Amino acid sequence: ARVGEYVVLRKLGEGGMGAVYLAEDPRLGRKVAVKTLKPALAASRGDCERFLREARAAAQLHHDHVMPILHVGEDARGPYMVMPFLDGEPLDERLRREPVAPPELTLRVGREVCAGLAAAHAKGLIHRDIKPANVWLEGAPAAPELAAQARRCRVLDFGLARAVTAPDAQLTATGAVMGTPAYMAPEQARAGAVDHRADLWSLGVTLYRMTTGRLPFGGDGVTAVLIALATEAPPPVRELNPAVPPALAGLIERLLSKDPAARPPSADAVAAELARPEVQPGANGAWGPV
């Protein structure tokens, strides 16, 4: 019923490394989200260190589009971290209801995720697991207006984040594939050296998913997905959704360049392209005929 001093109310979700609970801070009387490690991982000192590194990495970032960390602790069951409990939902839940996202939401997610990534990259941190499940849409999902459904986007879960020159590199040593295969850059899938451009690839996969309703690389099982992203070219964005403006389709396809040097140079550069007039929806909220 408790994690540390926090009173658990219910489980909010579960991922590869742990679970997130809605809890109450008894001292301040406010709702918080508490993330814990799975018991099997909590027994491993290496996994505990990786979990704590997530908290340390996220705690370095003070930005409107990164989820803040309020507290880090450890009890008899292992380490935990405490975050604000925000109204809203993760982007992957939204896409399950509406596989092709509205243009306004697509561009907002792209710009605001870029803002959060730019702040991380400026501190030498690479997220390495950008995907819809790690993008929180803060707002009221049942509201009639899109602006109220997603007032702000925040990047979640720096569980795989790593400084470019990390002193604890053995925790994610070369030879260990870390991340979510469908959103993983080819150089990351090879367990090679990665830099901030791996995050830009993952953002490209997310934008491809939002504009076309499907992932660019698929297959039966992890191995098939990894082979596809390393060797295949995805169907062009406008082949799947002709309404997408050519400038936006071209940006997404450059983000998915297998050569990191062919991708845009930075998250700030991607955000600037997402603000161009050529990619904005019309007065009716839709992309016009192209």
Side-chain angles (χ1 to χ4, degrees), residues 145-189:
E145 297 180 354
L146 182 60
Q149 295 168 15
R151 297 189 303 271
R152 172 169 51 181
C153 303
R154 291 186 186 253
V155 178
L156 304 175
D157 201 349
F158 274 75
L160 297 179
R162 174 179 166 188
V164 176
T165 56
D168 57 351
Q170 70 275 9
L171 295 180
T172 51
T174 298
V177 176
M178 304 294 290
T180 304
Y183 292 86
M184 191 183 298
E187 63 272 23
Q188 188 176 346

Side-chain angles (χ1 to χ4, degrees), residues 31-120:
K31 300 292 192 299
V32 294
V34 178
K35 183 175 181 179
T36 66
L37 269 184
K38 289 184 174 179
L41 297 178
S44 162
R45 193 61 217 166
D47 287 315
C48 287
E49 286 297 326
R50 186 178 294 118
F51 183 91
L52 292 170
R53 191 191 58 220
E54 173 184 349
R56 289 194 293 268
Q60 294 181 49
L61 302 175
H62 303 282
H63 194 277
D64 284 347
H65 300 298
V66 175
M67 182 68 78
I69 301 298
L70 302 177
H71 176 69
V72 178
E74 195 163 3
D75 64 13
R77 289 168 293 187
Y80 61 89
M81 71 177 71
V82 183
M83 299 161 285
F85 176 69
L86 302 176
D87 292 333
E89 62 182 344
L91 177 59
D92 63 333
E93 288 191 12
R94 171 70 186 249
L95 293 177
R96 277 194 282 271
R97 297 195 307 273
E98 190 175 17
V100 176
E104 180 185 341
L105 181 63
T106 300
L107 296 175
R108 175 178 294 180
V109 166
R111 290 192 304 266
E112 296 187 2
V113 169
C114 279
L117 287 177

Side-chain angles (χ1 to χ4, degrees), residues 210-276:
M210 296 181 77
T211 53
T212 69
R214 53 162 283 182
L215 289 167
F217 304 100
D220 295 328
V222 171
T223 300
V225 172
L226 295 178
I227 291 172
L229 68 86
T231 62
E232 298 177 7
V237 171
R238 283 169 46 78
E239 181 179 296
L240 300 175
N241 184 356
V244 176
L248 178 57
L251 171 61
I252 294 171
E253 287 157 11
R254 281 188 289 120
L255 288 166
L256 295 179
S257 298
K258 299 190 191 302
D259 179 3
R263 298 171 202 157
S266 67
D268 283 334
V270 176
E273 292 201 43
L274 291 170
R276 291 169 57 189

Side-chain angles (χ1 to χ4, degrees), residues 126-130 160 175-181 183-195 197-199 201-202 226 229 260 263:
I126 310 164
H127 188 286
R128 302 203 301 167
D129 202 23
I130 294 297
L160 297 179
V177 176
M178 304 294 290
T180 304
Y183 292 86
M184 191 183 298
E187 63 272 23
Q188 188 176 346
R190 294 192 298 269
V194 300
D195 62 17
R197 294 171 295 185
D199 286 343
W201 166 286
S202 301
L226 295 178
L229 68 86
R263 298 171 202 157

